[in-house]
Structures are given as C-alpha cells and as structure tokens.
Amino acid sequence: MAAMVQDDTGTRLVVQASDLPALSGNEAYQVWLIKDGQPINAGTFLSGDGKGALTYTMEPGDYDMVAITLEPDAEGDQPRGRMVLTGALT
C-alpha cells in the first residue's frame, strides 16, 4: 500500500508492505520514487517478519511511480536489486 498524506506540515508518501521475501546478510528493502524513468532514493527499511513501512516527504505530482527493490545493502543510490513491488502514483 502506498498513499500520499497531506497536512499543514507538507505531503508525505507512506509505504506499507507485507508478504516480503526474507532478508539475509546485509540485504535491505529500498523505496524508489520514479519520474520519467529516473529513480530517486526515498529510503530503506529492514524486515524481519515480511513487513515494513517507510515515510518520505515529497512534493505532490513530482513522481509517476513508487517501487520497492530487494537490495544487497542499504547503500545504493541507484537500484541494483530485483524489484519486488511497484505501483503508479495518481
């Protein structure tokens, strides 16, 4: 689930995922906001039980899609791992 929440402090993307594959070693899940095919790192999260969540402050309308990748570590500035979830931002 991904939603944009707006209040008097700004707009945040809220991402909640479940049924994710188990992590091993230094692996992490990374959230990407995508505009015109270009990914922007929105942060990383770890999951010990197949669930995870993240919030990211953003400007509404700046991005087309949100994606979650399974990365070898939490240090990437470009996607390197496989995509596990994607969704359009409308």
Side-chain angles (χ1 to χ4, degrees):
M1 188 275 309
M4 288 184 281
V5 178
Q6 187 170 11
D7 61 21
D8 47 338
T9 63
T11 302
R12 285 176 299 289
L13 173 70
V14 178
V15 176
Q16 293 179 314
S18 59
D19 298 322
L20 295 167
L23 297 175
S24 65
N26 291 328
E27 289 180 328
Y29 287 103
Q30 200 152 1
V31 178
W32 304 94
L33 291 166
I34 301 168
K35 178 68 171 185
D36 299 326
Q38 297 299 312
I40 303 297
N41 181 358
T44 60
F45 64 91
L46 302 176
S47 173
D49 60 359
K51 298 176 186 173
L54 178 131
T55 62
Y56 181 80
T57 303
M58 61 180 285
E59 290 296 320
D62 280 357
Y63 305 99
D64 303 319
M65 296 187 69
V66 60
I68 299 176
T69 56
L70 175 56
E71 297 291 332
D73 55 51
E75 305 301 320
D77 59 358
Q78 291 291 311
R80 299 166 289 155
R82 70 180 174 95
M83 199 171 303
V84 293
L85 294 169
T86 62
L89 293 174
T90 56

